[in-house]
Amino acid sequence: MLITKFENIKKINNGYIVSTDSADIMLIFLTDDIVRIRVSFNKEFKESSYALVTTAWKDELDQLFQNERQHIKALDIPYAEDQFQLEFKTKNIKLVLNKNPLYFTIYDTQGTLLYNDIHERAFEKDFLGRLFHYNEIDLDNDHFYGFGERTGKLDKLYDRMRNAAKDAIGHNPEKGGPLYKHIPFYIKLNDRSKKACGMFYNDSYESTFDMGKERSGYWHPYSYYETTNKDIDWFFLNGPSIKNVINNYTFLTGKQAMPPKQSLGFSATAMYYTELENDDDKEIYDVINTYAKEKINIDNFWIGSGYSSGEEDDLRYTFNWNRIKFPDPTAFFKKMNEMGINVVPNIKPGILKNHPYMKEFKKNDAFVKTPDKQRDYIGRWWGGAGKFIDFTNPSGRKIWGELLKKTILERGTSSIWNDNCEYDGIEDRTACCSNEGKGGIIAELKPIQANMMAYTAKKAINEVYPNRRPYIINRAGYSGIQRYAQTWAGDNLTSWKTLKYDIQTILGMGLSGVANNGADIGGFTGGAPEGELLLRWIQNGIFQPRFAINSANTDNTVTQPFMYEEYNDYIRQAYHLRYLMLPYLYSLMYQAHITGQPIMRPLFYDFQDDVKCYDDPYDTFMFGPAILVANVVDKGAKTRKLYLPQGAKWYDMNNNLQEYQGGQVIEIPVDLSSIPMFLRDNAIFTTSKDVMHITTDTMKHLDILIGDQDDAQFTFYDDDGLSNDFEKGIYRLTTISVSGNEQKIINFKSKGSFESTIKSLTLRVINKQKGAFWVSVDGKKIKRYLVKSQWEKAEEGWYYNLSDRTILINTAVPKKDNFDIIVSTEEFDLIGMNKD
């Protein structure tokens, strides 16, 4: 059944209903950049979304998400009609509904074609009830990114991808899929127009994206979306920048949760730590002490599910504590907290028949049901057949939250690790779920379960610790998971190829609204990583928001950073660099929380005008807006090729800030210590040597590296790192801006009531041409030093460093919210012979 022609249009409260020969189409303009086009062949428009936090209509789940969801008033957009089409114009786009055949076309205000349906085949319902949405693509110029968690290259042109979350242990990093997440969203970027737009399908049913893999000579090249849902609920998101597309997508589905600062420190774990026969707690204490002895940073310890194993059968029972392995769980949490280590316990939603809390679960009717709703559904699970908590059931969430508080949270942690939450063991897709009492099937609610498991953890943590930021980690998730949790790429395979392609997976998740993510460093399954591979993986992992090693090695080993003594010096250097960069990373995380922007991002995110960035063959990425990273990802590499984007100069941070012009491929020498990093010319990069352990160290000094451009800005963010007080304005947000040339004005403008702990600053200002004439801080000229060692000892003063040609400035922080540091490089006459 195809929609072929337009019949009529009717105005409704927040948009229009378009009647066609086969279906009704709801058309709503949420903003000048966001259009909802919902196609219903049964002509019903039930509103019940777990994903959306911004709507312009009433929804059955408004009460459930009353603290998250905002209602806006849809735009009232008139239309012009003629014999062939209806035309709608917002401030930023023009949408054309072509009548016969019926299809949609979208342009920007400059007349650039952004989107075009296949003309005679835009929307289809086939004989099996599957729905299809077809759109034209340009095989020579279109690129497609996002799609949630994917393997292989970042650009998905010619790929076919299924949205059906799996427990994908040991997946092929180049060609595997689907993985653990279900995020039906992507970005299209065209290298002729250099403009981007986004497509979000508000659809939790299993579905497929085909991005030009299928080809028919009867049609213009096309991509399509296929779903088993009852309708197609599609949101078009205008750019033209990728940044704006992601901001619009996270406007709909939620911004990244602001994590506690400690979560950005290193996290250690391995399944084997909780698989010992007894006294696993003592083994973990010894491991933490080994990190201290080796001078390798650590702030978090994730305990695998072995802690919950039955003492007689060794099977996993979430909320149970094995008292042989952990004789006193409360004392364990207390001691770990005293050591400054945050404990993150693993929990799983599958329940085996001998579970010690089975009566409580049954009493609360907590499980997914069989299709006839008469019995609890039993499916595949760890250790045998299991039942599954229904997190769309209020009573299921209630008992889960109560047990979570009683057995874990109240013992001394506000962190939870939600594992194995793909619900992959439920094979019958007609198994029944509560769906908030309305009834539903797992075919629709499978990926929703993971989000609502995180929702339940957040609620429980807030009840036990009302003013503490939750730290929740999810393996699975649907659109919107970012507003609750950090995620990771599941049980990856130990291999060089995984190291390379995990970078693309992380970048794709960042482009899909999930900024706080990462992958298991060193690989989760397979044999232990060889020493060089582990080193290179750690050198990449320091840039991942989730910085963690986790393993279940198949050769009876445990992956630990200090396992190869010959590499330990290099590994320590990498860990110390991660902690050095925490002020910058924490500021980026705040920006992700406010705007949805990714932290690790592809080159084209910041350099959309450079088409050579659209398909980067060199496995590089931007770490925020300031740093290009080109990790070594090939075994035995002696050199590293990379492309430097056009539109900027670049400074080699490992070679005295050697300058390179953008728009070229360069090749640099590398050795085992190499972490190639290049500073962008308008960068402001904040670091500190003060914090090597997040809970015990205080940042008192800030180092700032500033590029040589006369127009730069960065927002440095800080708060207490733990509480929700930042939501009340108790934070410190300092806009550092640079302007001027021969007199470079570096302005610091702060707001927020958090009392900063930073007492002093060191600035490194790049100026390759010459040193300064004078430097002033808050209107007062400071002393120049001609000997670097004297400057280093001085609390205030400046020095021109010829090795890297930077102007070095030491100063105390003026006690005011707005002050300038001025660097003058004006011409001056040393001997009094002024030029005429």
Side-chain angles (χ1 to χ4, degrees):
M1 182 189 305
L2 289 169
I3 296 178
T4 58
K5 61 182 180 179
F6 168 87
E7 290 186 347
N8 60 69
I9 183 169
K10 178 177 69 174
K11 187 79 173 68
I12 58 175
N13 180 50
N14 56 0
Y16 298 93
I17 296 291
V18 176
S19 297
T20 77
D21 54 345
S22 302
D24 281 354
I25 301 174
M26 178 188 288
L27 189 60
I28 300 176
F29 295 87
L30 277 82
T31 71
D32 289 306
D33 288 316
I34 303 176
V35 184
R36 184 189 195 193
I37 300 174
R38 188 174 181 188
V39 179
S40 176
F41 284 87
N42 63 12
K43 303 184 180 182
E44 296 177 1
F45 294 103
K46 180 182 176 182
E47 301 288 5
S48 184
S49 175
Y50 284 91
L52 299 175
V53 295
T54 302
T55 63
W57 49 86
K58 290 183 178 179
D59 186 287
E60 292 179 334
L61 303 184
D62 283 345
Q63 182 64 30
L64 178 65
F65 295 120
Q66 60 181 310
N67 296 324
E68 301 180 46
R69 183 168 285 169
Q70 65 168 337
H71 293 277
I72 63 173
K73 184 174 177 59
L75 302 183
D76 186 6
I77 303 297
Y79 61 87
E81 182 176 8
D82 62 24
Q83 179 181 353
F84 303 103
Q85 63 186 31
L86 287 79
E87 186 177 286
F88 305 80
K89 287 184 179 180
T90 75
K91 291 179 181 178
N92 297 330
I93 59 173
K94 177 176 74 174
L95 183 143
V96 177
L97 189 164
N98 300 277
K99 291 183 175 180
N100 189 9
L102 188 145
Y103 64 95
F104 290 98
T105 307
I106 301 175
Y107 303 86
D108 66 10
T109 53
Q110 289 78 44
T112 304
L113 177 65
L114 302 175
Y115 174 86
N116 197 13
D117 284 328
I118 287 285
H119 293 190
E120 297 86 9
R121 197 182 176 185
F123 302 98
E124 177 185 1
K125 180 177 182 179
D126 76 1
F127 63 98
L128 294 175
R130 297 174 300 185
L131 304 185
F132 295 81
H133 180 204
Y134 291 89
N135 39 81
E136 291 186 359
I137 60 174
D138 182 344
L139 296 175
D140 295 323
N141 297 287
D142 280 343
H143 305 264
F144 301 97
Y145 311 105
F147 303 96
E149 189 176 69
R150 300 293 173 180
T151 60
K153 291 177 59 179
L154 191 61
D155 186 354
K156 301 305 181 186
L157 179 66
Y158 294 118
D159 273 8
R160 178 183 287 129
M161 296 157 287
R162 190 173 174 222
N163 297 306
K166 299 295 179 187
D167 187 341
I169 185 169
H171 54 270
N172 184 297
E174 182 180 11
K175 299 182 182 297
L179 299 185
Y180 305 84
K181 317 296 189 297
H182 180 132
I183 301 178
F185 163 75
Y186 70 89
I187 298 167
K188 182 177 83 167
L189 178 60
N190 183 275
D191 61 19
R192 283 193 301 187
S193 69
K194 300 180 183 178
K195 294 178 179 180
C197 58
M199 316 289 170
F200 170 52
Y201 292 86
N202 182 30
D203 180 8
S204 55
Y205 281 81
E206 292 188 3
S207 54
T208 300
F209 285 109
D210 186 303
M211 309 312 295
K213 189 178 185 72
E214 181 176 296
R215 185 74 178 97
S216 171
Y218 293 103
W219 308 94
H220 189 283
Y222 58 83
S223 67
Y224 68 78
Y225 181 75
E226 173 193 342
T227 180
T228 52
N229 201 346
K230 300 177 183 65
D231 62 10
I232 290 174
D233 192 5
W234 168 53
F235 291 78
F236 174 86
L237 312 174
N238 185 42
S241 71
I242 292 171
K243 182 176 182 178
N244 197 49
V245 173
I246 296 173
N247 188 43
N248 283 327
Y249 170 69
T250 52
F251 172 73
L252 288 175
T253 63
K255 305 299 182 184
Q256 182 69 57
M258 187 66 187
K261 193 179 291 187
Q262 188 174 5
S263 70
L264 299 179
F266 174 67
S267 298
T269 185
M271 284 190 66
Y272 289 100
Y273 290 136
T274 55
E275 298 301 322
L276 304 176
E277 291 184 2
N278 54 59
D279 294 334
D280 297 55
D281 53 349
K282 293 179 181 178
E283 178 69 21
I284 292 171
Y285 301 149
D286 287 342
V287 169
I288 301 301
N289 289 328
T290 302
Y291 275 89
K293 178 182 176 183
E294 294 290 343
K295 294 182 172 58
I296 293 177
N297 311 70
I298 182 170
D299 270 279
N300 307 281
F301 198 92
W302 298 20
I303 54 171
S305 58
Y307 78 89
S308 67
S309 61
E311 294 175 4
E312 297 181 359
D313 57 17
D314 204 35
L315 298 177
R316 268 54 171 177
Y317 301 116
T318 291
F319 304 134
N320 179 62
W321 282 90
N322 184 310
R323 296 308 177 107
I324 298 173
K325 297 181 178 184
F326 292 86
D328 188 341
T330 302
F332 168 71
F333 280 97
K334 184 174 185 293
K335 184 171 179 63
M336 292 288 277
N337 285 329
E338 288 171 350
M339 297 171 76
I341 303 299
N342 179 43
V343 179
V344 187
N346 180 289
I347 60 175
K348 306 178 188 295
I351 307 299
L352 298 170
K353 64 179 180 179
N354 293 324
H355 197 289
Y357 292 107
M358 180 61 80
K359 288 183 180 179
E360 285 85 345
F361 291 130
K362 290 287 292 181
K363 180 181 178 181
N364 286 272
D365 196 26
F367 298 119
V368 174
K369 301 297 182 186
T370 54
D372 62 6
K373 304 181 184 178
Q374 299 303 305
R375 301 176 307 281
D376 299 329
Y377 184 92
I378 298 175
R380 292 173 180 261
W381 189 244
W382 277 41
K387 300 179 181 182
F388 299 85
I389 301 297
D390 181 4
F391 287 100
T392 72
N393 185 343
S395 62
R397 292 196 297 268
K398 183 175 183 293
I399 184 59
W400 187 267
E402 288 174 357
L403 291 172
L404 183 59
K405 289 185 287 186
K406 170 184 164 185
T407 65
I408 294 178
L409 299 178
E410 291 173 359
R411 296 186 187 277
T413 186
S414 57
S415 302
I416 291 297
W417 173 11
N418 289 329
D419 200 6
N420 299 89
C421 44
E422 299 78 27
Y423 282 62
D424 200 19
I426 300 179
E427 298 169 326
D428 190 334
R429 296 296 189 261
T430 61
C432 290
C433 303
S434 166
N435 194 21
E436 312 308 323
K438 303 184 300 296
I441 58 175
I442 201 69
E444 176 187 7
L445 298 165
K446 182 172 180 279
I448 303 298
Q449 297 287 351
N451 281 29
M452 294 309 291
M453 187 179 183
Y455 169 96
T456 304
K458 179 181 178 181
K459 186 172 184 292
I461 292 167
N462 286 338
E463 289 170 359
V464 177
Y465 305 101
N467 195 31
R468 190 182 297 184
R469 252 173 268 172
Y471 176 35
I472 300 163
I473 306 98
N474 258 48
R475 193 171 78 172
Y478 177 55
S479 294
I481 186 60
Q482 68 272 6
R483 63 185 190 255
Y484 304 124
Q486 179 188 78
T487 71
W488 90 105
D491 297 343
N492 57 352
L493 182 67
T494 298
S495 73
W496 281 93
K497 186 176 282 190
T498 303
L499 166 59
K500 184 186 294 275
Y501 284 108
D502 272 357
I503 294 172
Q504 311 304 315
T505 301
I506 294 167
L507 295 178
M509 282 291 281
L511 293 174
S512 303
V514 186
N516 191 352
N517 73 104
D520 283 345
I521 296 166
F524 178 80
T525 189
E530 61 180 290
E532 184 184 357
L533 174 57
L534 179 62
L535 171 64
R536 295 308 193 192
W537 219 320
I538 288 170
Q539 289 171 338
N540 170 251
I542 65 172
F543 300 102
Q544 299 176 21
R546 174 194 177 270
F547 179 36
I549 288 178
N550 184 22
S551 66
N553 297 340
T554 55
D555 57 0
N556 199 31
T557 61
V558 179
T559 301
Q560 301 178 111
F562 40 75
M563 60 197 288
Y564 296 106
E565 291 183 9
E566 63 272 29
Y567 291 98
N568 279 358
D569 284 343
Y570 305 127
I571 285 171
R572 273 188 284 272
Q573 290 170 19
Y575 272 74
H576 292 172
L577 177 57
R578 164 61 171 229
Y579 277 69
L580 189 79
M581 298 187 297
L582 282 174
Y584 179 70
L585 176 57
Y586 196 55
S587 299
L588 296 181
M589 191 59 71
Y590 177 75
Q591 289 302 315
H593 174 66
I594 297 299
T595 69
Q597 70 178 22
I599 290 166
M600 282 177 60
R601 54 235 215 170
L603 303 186
F604 58 76
Y605 180 90
D606 291 282
F607 295 92
Q608 195 167 319
D609 286 337
D610 185 353
V611 297
K612 291 182 180 178
C613 296
Y614 290 11
D615 188 12
D616 175 23
Y618 300 108
D619 302 302
T620 59
F621 57 90
M622 294 296 295
F623 181 52
I627 308 295
L628 186 153
V629 181
N631 285 118
V632 180
V633 294
D634 293 309
K635 183 177 180 179
K638 302 300 182 186
T639 63
R640 177 69 160 94
K641 281 187 176 181
L642 64 140
Y643 176 71
L644 297 171
Q646 196 168 21
K649 298 192 297 290
W650 298 91
Y651 300 97
D652 187 342
M653 298 174 69
N654 296 299
N655 187 21
N656 284 323
L657 298 173
Q658 180 179 339
E659 181 180 309
Y660 293 91
Q661 292 295 324
Q664 63 172 322
V665 175
I666 65 170
E667 187 169 6
I668 58 172
V670 295
D671 57 28
L672 289 175
S673 69
S674 296
I675 307 175
M677 299 167 62
F678 293 80
L679 185 82
R680 187 176 176 176
D681 60 2
N682 68 347
I684 298 174
F685 183 48
T686 55
T687 59
S688 178
K689 297 175 183 176
D690 290 343
V691 178
M692 290 291 111
H693 190 264
I694 293 172
T695 58
T696 58
D697 296 340
T698 300
M699 180 170 57
K700 297 180 180 179
H701 183 83
L702 190 67
D703 295 295
I704 307 174
L705 177 58
I706 298 175
D708 72 344
Q709 293 298 292
D710 55 12
D711 183 13
Q713 184 171 294
F714 181 73
T715 303
F716 172 69
Y717 176 82
D718 200 16
D719 60 21
D720 65 18
L722 181 65
S723 77
N724 293 315
D725 287 348
F726 74 99
E727 295 175 344
K728 307 168 189 173
I730 306 176
Y731 57 77
R732 193 76 171 171
L733 195 66
T734 302
T735 301
I736 307 171
S737 57
V738 177
S739 60
N741 189 353
E742 290 194 332
Q743 274 200 20
K744 183 166 287 187
I745 301 172
I746 305 166
N747 176 254
F748 294 76
K749 189 173 185 178
S750 300
K751 67 177 183 178
S753 58
F754 177 71
E755 186 173 345
S756 176
T757 59
I758 299 170
K759 306 301 180 185
S760 59
L761 304 173
T762 294
L763 278 65
R764 295 172 65 203
V765 182
I766 296 174
N767 193 312
K768 294 294 185 180
Q769 286 71 45
K770 55 185 174 180
F773 182 21
W774 53 265
V775 174
S776 69
V777 176
D778 193 28
K780 172 193 169 186
K781 289 184 179 180
I782 62 174
K783 181 178 178 179
R784 175 182 182 175
Y785 288 86
L786 298 177
V787 178
K788 188 176 182 182
S789 61
Q790 293 178 337
W791 169 81
E792 289 172 338
K793 291 184 288 187
E795 293 182 358
E796 183 180 82
W798 68 272
Y799 171 81
Y800 186 58
N801 188 40
L802 280 164
S803 295
D804 57 15
R805 292 190 172 268
T806 57
I807 299 162
L808 306 179
I809 304 164
N810 277 341
T811 181
V813 178
K815 295 181 179 180
K816 53 174 59 178
D817 291 338
N818 192 342
F819 65 90
D820 292 333
I821 295 176
I822 300 177
V823 179
S824 170
T825 57
E826 299 163 277
E827 290 287 342
F828 64 96
D829 184 8
L830 183 63
I831 60 174
M833 296 180 65
N834 292 318
K835 297 177 182 178
D836 292 333

